[in-house]
Amino acid sequence: DDEIVQTSESGPVKATVTLSPKKPQLGDSLNLTLTVSAQPGVQVEMPPFGEALGRFSITRFTPRSDSQPDGSTVHIQRYVLEAPMSGRQRIPSLRIEFVDQRASATPGRGPDGGSESVHELLTDEIAIDIASVIADGKDQELRGLRDPLPETASPGELVGYALAPAVLLLVLVTWLLLRRMRRRAAL
């Protein structure tokens, strides 16, 4: 299996976080899916876009909610992420809020008999190792230029740069003149 799956549960709400690939390399897109299932009569509020994703950049986000025939709901948020750097990274806990309004609870009261209130479900933090694009074991120390570049050309180089096109032009003009004289002589 090439994915990390973690499940958290609190009363009538169950959250599953799936992250793939399991062993990414820097530059790979990471697919993070948060799936929350709630029993009938439970109102769920998913995490706002981009909340608690740490240093990861979100390149795509797709939310979806579906009601099931039994009255339960399934909420799905899909993220495509880019890691900021190689090494050990972490996706922090995601916070799901919910209100239990089921008939089993006394009207105006929560399942614990207290007043109806917002409850939280936190997913587990996910730690992942992002592999470097540089192969292990190779000396990848950055090196400077092989030879320093000259700041300006020497006077001899400047004469050479100017003389070369002049010599080529002289050869071309001489060839054209000789060709012209041969044509006249042939007439």
Side-chain angles (χ1 to χ4, degrees), residues 45-73:
E45 185 171 327
M46 296 292 282
F49 170 77
E51 180 182 277
L53 289 175
R55 297 178 178 171
F56 290 90
S57 299
I58 301 169
T59 58
R60 198 169 352 162
F61 173 71
T62 310
R64 191 175 102 209
S65 294
D66 293 321
S67 295
Q68 304 300 311
D70 66 353
S72 63
T73 55

Side-chain angles (χ1 to χ4, degrees), residues 28-41:
D28 290 347
S29 292
L30 298 168
N31 298 302
L32 177 73
T33 304
L34 171 63
T35 305
V36 177
S37 303
Q39 295 178 6

Side-chain angles (χ1 to χ4, degrees), residues 76-97:
I76 301 171
Q77 288 183 338
R78 287 192 172 94
Y79 296 87
V80 177
L81 307 173
E82 296 293 328
M85 64 187 90
S86 61
R88 188 96 168 151
Q89 302 295 319
R90 67 180 188 88
I91 295 175
S93 300
L94 298 171
R95 181 173 41 96
I96 298 104
E97 295 180 347

Side-chain angles (χ1 to χ4, degrees), residues 156-175:
E157 289 174 317
L158 290 177
V159 170
Y161 294 144
L163 198 56
V167 169
L168 286 175
L169 183 62
L170 182 63
V171 170
L172 180 63
V173 168
T174 305
W175 179 75

Side-chain angles (χ1 to χ4, degrees), residues 88-157:
R88 188 96 168 151
Q89 302 295 319
R90 67 180 188 88
I91 295 175
S93 300
L94 298 171
R95 181 173 41 96
I96 298 104
E97 295 180 347
F98 66 94
V99 176
D100 190 351
Q101 300 172 332
R102 294 179 292 173
S104 63
T106 308
R109 300 197 171 269
D112 60 358
S115 62
E116 190 174 271
S117 62
V118 176
H119 301 276
E120 273 187 356
L121 169 60
L122 290 175
T123 64
D124 292 330
E125 179 180 282
I126 297 176
I128 187 165
D129 288 315
I130 309 292
S132 174
V133 292
I134 299 173
D136 288 339
K138 291 192 176 183
D139 180 19
Q140 295 295 327
E141 182 179 322
L142 296 176
R143 292 180 284 270
L145 298 172
R146 291 185 181 179
D147 293 319
L149 297 174
E151 291 187 27
T152 60
S154 69
E157 289 174 317

